[in-house]
Amino acid sequence: MSTAPESPMKVLVYSDDANVRAQVRLAIGRRPAADLPAVEYVEVATQPAVVARLDEGDIDVAVVDAEAQPAGGLGVCRQAKDEVYDCPPVLAIIARRDDGWLATWSRADAVVALPLDPMAVARSVADLMRRRAASRLPVL
């Protein structure tokens, strides 16, 4: 019997490349860890769509592709962290490990490098989902 909450958590996946979005979905799967609820994906391909969805306030975790065009995921992450109230945690996907400094500048909460390691992606998203769930617990 599962102890995971019943309501799915929404994971936004931003990339202009449908193949990258599909790789992210496959890496995370339907439920990245047994103690977490199912994942509901929200796929977006443009920076304005990211901003609009985050402004709605129902996204639990965002995954951004640093190589997206014309607006890279790291710039989109930085904008979201600066402008979105209660911004969800963000996982940044970088093409080169040396871009880690840029991911730090963007204030990404976690970083993975291409090629995607499905275990690392699922683990990172699971950690961010737990962080988001904990941030929404009522204070006693």
Side-chain angles (χ1 to χ4, degrees):
M1 183 174 227
S2 173
T3 59
E6 296 301 316
S7 299
M9 292 183 82
K10 289 187 181 178
V11 174
L12 179 138
V13 181
Y14 167 60
S15 179
D16 66 316
D17 185 338
N19 290 325
V20 170
R21 295 192 309 267
Q23 287 177 31
V24 170
R25 281 193 332 272
L26 287 172
I28 298 168
R30 292 175 44 157
R31 176 177 272 157
D35 64 316
L36 294 169
V39 170
E40 180 181 321
Y41 291 100
V42 176
E43 292 187 49
V44 295
T46 66
Q47 179 269 344
V50 173
V51 172
R53 287 300 287 144
L54 291 178
D55 280 344
E56 289 182 26
D58 63 340
I59 299 297
D60 295 297
V61 173
V63 179
V64 298
D65 175 11
E67 301 301 308
Q69 294 294 323
L74 298 179
V76 170
C77 176
R78 176 73 180 220
Q79 178 185 5
K81 293 292 185 171
D82 286 345
E83 298 176 4
V84 175
Y85 174 75
D86 195 25
C87 185
V90 178
L91 170 65
I93 299 170
I94 58 175
R96 297 161 297 281
R97 292 196 189 277
D98 290 344
D99 287 342
W101 71 270
L102 195 53
T104 299
W105 166 85
S106 75
R107 299 200 315 254
D109 298 280
V111 180
V112 295
L114 292 173
L116 291 180
D117 172 356
M119 295 295 287
V121 174
R123 188 176 328 109
S124 293
V125 169
D127 289 344
L128 296 177
M129 288 172 70
R130 288 184 193 102
R131 183 185 310 179
R132 185 63 164 185
S135 75
R136 293 193 166 170
L137 291 175
V139 178
L140 300 177

